[in-house]
Amino acid sequence: MREPALNRGGAIDVAVIGGGPAGLAAATELKRAGIGRVVVLEREQEAGGIPRHCGHPPFGMREFGRVLRGPVYAARLVARARRAGVEIHTGASVVEARPGGDLLLAVARGVQEISARRVICATGVRERPRSARLISGARVAGVLNTGALQSLVYLKRLRPFRRPVIVGSELVAFSAIMTCRHAGIRPVAMIEPGPRVTARWPSALFPRLAGVRLMTGTRLLEITGEGAVSGVVVEGPGGERQRIACDGVVLSGRFTPESTLARSGHLQVDPATGGPVVDQWGRCSDAAYFATGNLLRPVETAGWSWREGRQCGQHVAADLAGNLPREDAFLRLEAAGPALKYVMPQRLSLPHAAAGMKDLQLRVGREVRGALVAVNEQGVVWREKIHARPERRLLVPVGEIAAGVAAQPSGSRLVFEIREGAG
Amino acid sequence: MTLQQPIQSAQGSGPAAGATFDVAVIGAGVVGCAMARRFALEGAHVAVLEKAPDILDGASKANSAILHTGFDAPAGSLELACVQEGYREYLEIRHDLGLVHERSGAFVVAWDEAQLGALEAIRAHAHANGVTDVQIVTARELRTREPNLSHAALGAVEVPGEGIIDPWSAPQVYLEQALANGASLLTGCEVTGGRFDAGVWHLQTTTGVLKARHVINCAGLYGDLVDQAVLGCAAFRITPRKGQFVVFDKAARDLVSAIILPVPTERTKGVVVFRTVFGNLAVGPTAEDQQSRSDASTDEAALRALIADGIAKVPALEHMPVTATYAGLRPASEEKEYRIHTTPDRNWITVGGIRSTGLSGALGIARHVYRLYSQDGPAHERLENPVVPKARMLAESGPRDWKCDDHGEIVCHCELVTRREIEAALAGPLAARSLAGLKRQTRVTMGRCQGFFCTARLAELSAGHFDRPLAEETGDA
Ligand SMILES: Cc1cc2nc3c(=O)[nH]c(=O)nc-3n(C[C@H](O)[C@H](O)[C@H](O)COP(=O)(O)OP(=O)(O)OC[C@H]3O[C@@H](n4cnc5c(N)ncnc54)[C@H](O)[C@@H]3O)c2cc1C
Ligand SMILES: Cc1cc2nc3c(=O)[nH]c(=O)nc-3n(C[C@H](O)[C@H](O)[C@H](O)COP(=O)(O)OP(=O)(O)OC[C@H]3O[C@@H](n4cnc5c(N)ncnc54)[C@H](O)[C@@H]3O)c2cc1C
């Protein structure tokens, strides 16, 4: 389908950066709310986001009431957005987000500048590469993230190696195994530094290992090889070292938001999530910008991101109608590390603290048992008993917090912390 | 002209069979590239022999990319003379060849009282070296100039002329200028031996025999081995000195404006905090002696130490993600000085031990070597109107291709590399034959995501171009 040129077709009400599940859901919702011109800017040649290259189920239960493979799911989201009247511009890479909603784009013909009344950032997450993990050893070909492996296999029918080692055991590591099997690649081992598999319902996933050796409590020490990977050196739970012969390494998980635009622009970034700082409406430090989906924090499923996107669409529609409170009176939410990794949103705009996102999202850095408490200058305003594991979300209903902070002045802090052992 | 085929097989056939070059340059590192350019401009018929499939694959593949003024080079050294002559020529040809130069300046920062006491000697040494705009600045002034520098800085020597360049596009265009003016390049061509007979060298290579009247050994990390293999002896021994680096996210770029140097020690210039022309901030290098001439591996402990060092100097780096890590190998010999020797009775010049200033010194080294070569009067007729090619523009501040019309598509989103740039780098005499070579020519996959988003597209675009393909067809569907 041909879209009208970006610079024609009248003023842009909302520009959505990123055509993944969250961005498409937000744009679709905005059109349904009667907003005039809504454009999705997607830098790839196809919209759909990460699911485009997840050639496996399960996607779509929440959105379409049935189980789909990623590419089918992505295509359906795109079709639904178009039907709702969303303009989707592919090959449009936003390279600068400027104050007030002005965007600089790189498109196939060169550069283009556009302005929108509101901008929604929905640029998703990616996995951390080798460099950011500071992995030792030879600098050789064949070290990839799952995302690159999936794109090679499902989008291009290419295979970068035959006998890789898979590092990590989040859900995505199991996707990596399925991707490998699809392409006739046979992983030699899955290594996980933690004492157990990170993904939820590990027992259900074990059959999917399909003969892949699972090595928990095992750290990757070094990658060896000349030109291409020839092996990895790992250290087991007892400190014993061994070399595993392989011809590739899949670095899975350890997600980080793709927050380039915020980082290199004016929007405030939360070092804890790696995403932009937002309030309970998803509003960024510049009130013309909102953020949604996995850009907010690492990492949730497509369905979850899609639901967030839909909500963000509603919030932005409300904002355009003048129905959001001002952005300049807010409480700062903080997570006390290292037991707690982050809290999102990072701000509660006042007065209506209880509107907007229903829950605060938190995560722990390691397995903890005890109490999760929220503390302000007056003391503990909220507490709950928890037993939490890494990479699982913890939800705190904003409504429960709102009562306790009603009297707190704008600009003050509310700190979440773990009291281990306490009930 | 570029010879892709064997030059001359054992049976004496091949496209250049019989041709005798004036000069054979062994090695297409930065020094060999500058050498080929100088000799071609002087009118010599030059062949460049490089063992790797891509140029700039040895010491020149990873460095700090600083164009040095020579303010701290040993007084009266050949290194100082070459660096200063090289610096001057770089600025002279910069405009014509489209070279990047950001004159960021440098501060040699004192972090303790002893270092503070050493600043005056550094200033005086710089003046003695002819770098007379060097001056001492107080801690207070340093703080206004570099507000993100740790307040532990006690003072500094300012060197306004230090700057940063593109460490790959510059040498590549030197070589391109040589090729455009009649030189030949042979890649995948390792010199393994040779015979000097009646004024002509018969160099044995992995792709045949090449004849040349003079040979200039610019084999960098292998310079001593090439002298041994061909001349039978070497006047020095290379012990590679590894330097590891950490490159931070582009968001960190503006945390410092100048190059932040430490007060140097005997062994090295020390760990530097510097911007790159590509828009990153980097910290490094380490200095680790090793035997291997090819092992440029990184290790976690060293990288963590560099990060800690960076944060100590620029505290805001604490929250900056790491974009890349890499290591380079300096061709260090027993001495700091360049090891440039002539063997006049055998028409051989060795250009070795160009340890830590070769990027700055290359153009000056080439002029110096040409003078040695033509000591007995002009050997050739200098080209009157040489062809002047333009370097690729990869600097963040420059007119990058993505800003220009009809580049096709953005392939690498983090570094904004276009399809047109990739296709150009995969074609022509210097066509990239490996991902590493393509990276140096385009910056593809060198950004934040390190290939997460673009590897698949890149595998598709590079299919059939690389000696070792990025991927093979699955053939299953
Ligand atoms: C390798 C990997 C595998 C995963 N597998 C699963 C899975 O099996 N199941 C599951 O439920 N979840 C999975 N996830 C989680 C995934 O993030 C979500 O499924 C979902 O895609 C999140 O939606 P999103 O819209 O927030 O982001 P994304 O789907 O990531 O979409 C972001 C979009 O923004 C575009 N974009 C980014 N920057 C710009 C820019 N500057 N200009 C224009 N466009 C831009 C991107 O091209 C992309 O299309 C996986 C994640 C990764 C990284
Ligand atoms: C960590 C580090 C930081 C540095 N920082 C700076 C800086 O900021 N500024 C600066 O000016 N300099 C810097 N340098 C120094 C600079 O990089 C070197 O001085 C320079 O690269 C040396 O180049 P070369 O051409 O002599 O050697 P090389 O680059 O090693 O070139 C030699 C070439 O010869 C080829 N070769 C070898 N043997 C044979 C054979 N038998 N047959 C055919 N070909 C052969 C090799 O493949 C190679 O391509 C740094 C170096 C390092 C390692």
Side-chain angles (χ1 to χ4, degrees):
Chain A
M1 188 195 295
R2 288 294 301 166
E3 303 291 353
L6 259 175
N7 51 2
R8 270 181 248 130
I12 297 172
D13 293 297
V14 183
V16 180
I17 310 174
L24 291 170
T28 307
E29 198 63 23
L30 281 160
K31 284 306 294 181
R32 289 184 179 163
I35 303 300
R37 190 167 184 215
V38 180
V39 303
V40 169
L41 307 169
E42 169 54 55
R43 65 186 182 185
E44 298 295 338
Q45 303 304 315
E46 293 288 336
I50 293 285
R52 276 179 313 123
H53 53 68
C54 298
H56 52 74
F59 286 90
M61 269 318 285
R62 227 188 280 251
E63 304 84 328
F64 300 104
R66 52 185 292 194
V67 175
L68 304 169
R69 291 187 314 114
V72 179
Y73 166 75
R76 285 199 178 196
L77 288 179
V78 170
R80 185 187 271 183
R82 287 217 158 104
R83 273 201 308 278
V86 174
E87 269 176 50
I88 301 178
H89 295 267
T90 55
S93 186
V94 180
V95 295
E96 263 178 55
R98 299 168 178 163
D102 292 347
L103 302 176
L104 178 68
L105 272 57
V107 295
R109 281 170 292 104
V111 293
Q112 195 167 3
E113 285 175 304
I114 63 167
S115 307
R117 292 169 68 203
R118 297 289 183 279
V119 176
I120 298 177
C121 303
T123 49
V125 283
R126 57 175 168 79
E127 297 160 290
R128 275 197 181 71
R130 172 187 183 163
S131 53
R133 302 176 190 222
L134 307 180
I135 296 170
S136 300
R139 311 180 51 76
V140 286
V143 183
L144 304 178
N145 286 128
T146 317
L149 172 68
Q150 289 181 332
S151 314
L152 281 164
V153 167
Y154 289 117
L155 300 180
K156 309 290 180 195
R157 301 187 195 291
L158 292 171
R159 155 171 68 200
F161 36 54
R162 285 165 181 265
R163 301 280 288 152
V165 157
I166 294 178
V167 179
S169 67
E170 292 175 46
L171 266 174
V172 68
F174 293 87
S175 300
I177 291 181
M178 285 188 271
T179 308
C180 285
R181 288 177 62 193
H182 180 81
I185 299 166
R186 302 191 45 219
V188 280
M190 175 188 271
I191 64 176
E192 161 59 45
R196 60 168 76 99
V197 166
T198 311
R200 209 195 300 241
W201 312 302
S203 52
L205 289 167
F206 276 134
R208 303 227 176 120
L209 279 167
V212 178
R213 185 165 151 220
L214 174 64
M215 302 168 74
T216 52
T218 302
R219 254 174 17 104
L220 171 62
L221 290 185
E222 189 186 343
I223 296 173
T224 61
E226 264 188 48
V229 177
S230 66
V232 292
V233 179
V234 300
E235 188 181 64
E240 72 285 1
R241 293 184 177 192
Q242 61 170 302
R243 187 173 178 282
I244 305 174
C246 59
D247 66 353
V249 179
V250 181
L251 299 173
S252 78
R254 302 213 26 207
F255 295 95
T256 181
E258 176 63 6
S259 52
T260 305
L261 291 170
R263 266 184 206 290
S264 47
H266 67 299
L267 299 177
Q268 212 177 312
V269 173
D270 175 9
T273 55
V277 168
V278 293
D279 69 5
Q280 75 272 34
W281 310 100
R283 193 162 47 180
C284 300
S285 57
D286 171 347
Y289 287 83
F290 286 71
T292 191
N294 269 340
L295 170 65
L296 292 171
R297 76 343 3 223
V299 59
E300 289 290 350
T301 61
W304 183 277
S305 304
W306 174 83
R307 201 183 62 181
E308 281 177 333
R310 213 168 55 163
Q311 228 176 46
C312 181
Q314 290 157 7
H315 295 161
V316 171
D319 189 28
L320 287 170
N323 292 335
L324 286 203
R326 294 169 50 135
E327 72 281 4
D328 49 4
F330 55 83
L331 303 183
R332 293 174 204 282
L333 306 184
E334 286 173 21
L340 272 182
K341 278 187 13 186
Y342 62 71
V343 55
M344 191 290 296
Q346 297 82 356
R347 294 179 176 180
L348 280 184
S349 286
L350 302 171
H352 308 288
M357 293 180 199
K358 204 165 109 296
D359 298 301
L360 307 179
Q361 303 177 29
L362 298 89
R363 277 198 199 191
V364 293
R366 55 178 157 80
E367 182 167 355
V368 292
R369 285 169 199 273
L372 172 64
V373 298
V375 193
N376 67 10
E377 280 183 351
Q378 270 69 55
V380 173
V381 299
W382 178 89
R383 90 159 37 220
E384 191 175 86
K385 206 172 147 186
I386 61 160
H387 173 197
R389 294 232 183 106
E391 304 312 332
R392 317 269 164 89
R393 78 179 78 99
L394 277 174
L395 299 180
V396 173
V398 183
E400 292 181 16
I401 299 293
V405 300
Q408 236 184 288
S410 169
S412 64
R413 302 184 319 154
L414 182 67
V415 180
F416 286 85
E417 50 185 66
I418 300 280
R419 303 220 168 135
E420 274 179 273
Chain B
M1 177 179 64
T2 304
L3 307 176
Q4 296 296 1
Q5 299 302 312
I7 321 149
Q8 190 178 4
S9 70
Q11 289 75 35
S13 59
T20 302
F21 291 90
D22 294 323
V23 177
V25 173
I26 304 176
V30 61
V31 173
C33 292
M35 200 66 67
R37 170 178 172 273
R38 172 55 40 211
F39 277 75
L41 293 179
E42 298 292 346
H45 189 206
V46 181
V48 181
L49 315 180
E50 168 55 54
K51 70 173 179 176
D54 285 297
I55 66 165
L56 305 174
D57 207 48
S60 306
K61 86 170 138 195
N63 55 51
S64 316
I66 298 171
L67 189 70
H68 295 297
T69 54
F71 79 95
D72 58 350
S77 63
L78 178 59
E79 181 185 20
L80 172 61
C82 290
V83 165
Q84 295 195 327
E85 198 172 6
Y87 184 98
R88 273 196 302 277
E89 185 172 357
Y90 189 92
L91 294 193
E92 264 165 41
I93 64 176
R94 175 169 77 113
H95 188 73
D96 287 345
L97 293 186
L99 299 175
V100 181
H101 179 238
E102 292 179 21
R103 196 172 187 271
S104 56
F107 288 113
V108 183
V109 178
W111 298 98
D112 62 32
E113 290 296 331
Q115 291 173 356
L116 193 61
L119 295 186
E120 173 47 31
I122 293 172
R123 190 201 63 85
H125 184 102
H127 281 249
N129 279 0
V131 189
T132 52
D133 55 358
V134 169
Q135 53 169 0
I136 290 185
V137 297
T138 61
R140 176 196 292 259
E141 183 175 355
L142 182 61
R143 207 166 297 170
T144 49
R145 302 272 300 279
E146 297 290 354
N148 294 307
L149 208 58
S150 158
H151 290 188
L154 299 179
V157 172
E158 182 187 7
V159 191
E162 296 278 299
I164 51 178
I165 67 175
D166 177 338
W168 303 299
S169 300
Q172 169 148 347
V173 82
Y174 303 162
L175 183 57
E176 279 167 353
Q177 189 168 32
L179 298 180
N181 290 288
S184 302
L185 167 69
L186 291 110
T187 52
C189 171
E190 179 177 355
V191 175
T192 54
R195 169 171 63 85
F196 186 61
D197 191 10
V200 174
W201 273 102
H202 299 250
L203 290 178
Q204 254 160 38
T205 79
T206 45
T207 56
V209 174
L210 181 127
K211 286 188 283 180
R213 279 179 276 279
H214 289 259
V215 176
I216 305 171
N217 170 8
C218 305
L221 292 160
Y222 297 82
D224 53 341
L225 299 185
V226 168
D227 268 13
Q228 257 154 26
V230 189
L231 276 189
C233 63
F236 57 91
R237 200 187 125 79
I238 296 291
T239 303
R241 186 170 297 168
K242 180 159 77 183
Q244 302 188 45
F245 294 88
V246 170
V247 182
F248 287 90
D249 192 277
K250 287 192 171 177
R253 181 194 53 180
D254 295 328
L255 290 177
V256 297
S257 67
I259 299 160
I260 306 299
L261 301 166
V263 171
T265 66
E266 255 308 290
R267 269 170 55 77
T268 99
K269 288 178 177 293
V271 171
V272 185
V273 180
F274 58 102
R275 282 190 296 138
T276 70
V277 297
F278 313 115
N280 292 95
L281 193 73
V283 178
T286 58
E288 308 158 57
D289 288 340
Q290 65 179 38
Q291 290 310 312
S292 169
R293 295 168 196 250
S294 61
D295 174 10
S297 57
T298 52
D299 74 89
E300 186 178 340
L303 298 174
R304 285 198 188 285
L306 284 176
I307 292 171
D309 194 329
I311 293 171
K313 289 170 176 160
V314 183
L317 281 177
E318 174 148 24
H319 295 303
M320 289 295 169
V322 169
T323 286
T325 60
Y326 66 95
L329 303 178
R330 304 172 186 86
S333 72
E334 302 86 341
E335 293 167 26
K336 184 175 192 308
E337 179 63 299
Y338 291 172
R339 312 300 285 271
I340 301 182
H341 304 284
T342 57
T343 311
D345 55 328
R346 301 175 73 188
N347 292 357
W348 183 278
I349 304 178
T350 306
V351 184
I354 313 296
R355 188 182 84 185
S356 32
T357 52
L359 185 64
S360 313
L363 295 168
I365 293 169
R367 282 181 177 270
H368 171 73
V369 170
Y370 190 75
R371 284 192 294 269
L372 293 177
Y373 167 85
S374 56
Q375 246 161 7
D376 309 322
H380 310 282
E381 220 168 290
R382 175 177 295 191
L383 303 188
E384 268 182 30
N385 283 309
V387 180
V388 183
K390 277 258 188 264
R392 297 167 313 237
M393 172 47 68
L394 298 179
E396 175 127 308
S397 60
R400 291 274 314 272
D401 194 48
W402 67 267
K403 301 175 187 168
C404 304
D405 288 349
D406 296 317
H407 54 65
E409 92 193 60
I410 306 280
V411 174
C412 165
H413 298 295
C414 301
E415 294 297 309
L416 293 167
V417 183
T418 68
R419 187 172 77 216
R420 179 165 59 191
E421 286 177 303
I422 289 170
E423 284 167 354
L426 291 171
L430 296 178
R433 300 274 300 280
S434 64
L435 179 58
L438 188 65
K439 284 160 90 163
R440 293 194 286 274
Q441 291 202 43
T442 62
R443 293 201 54 70
V444 75
T445 75
M446 290 175 97
R448 292 184 172 92
C449 87
Q450 299 274 303
F452 177 95
F453 293 109
C454 69
T455 293
R457 181 73 177 121
L458 204 53
E460 184 176 51
L461 289 173
S462 64
H465 290 276
F466 291 167
D467 295 353
R468 190 201 301 271
L470 293 181
E472 59 183 15
E473 281 171 31
T474 49
D476 66 332

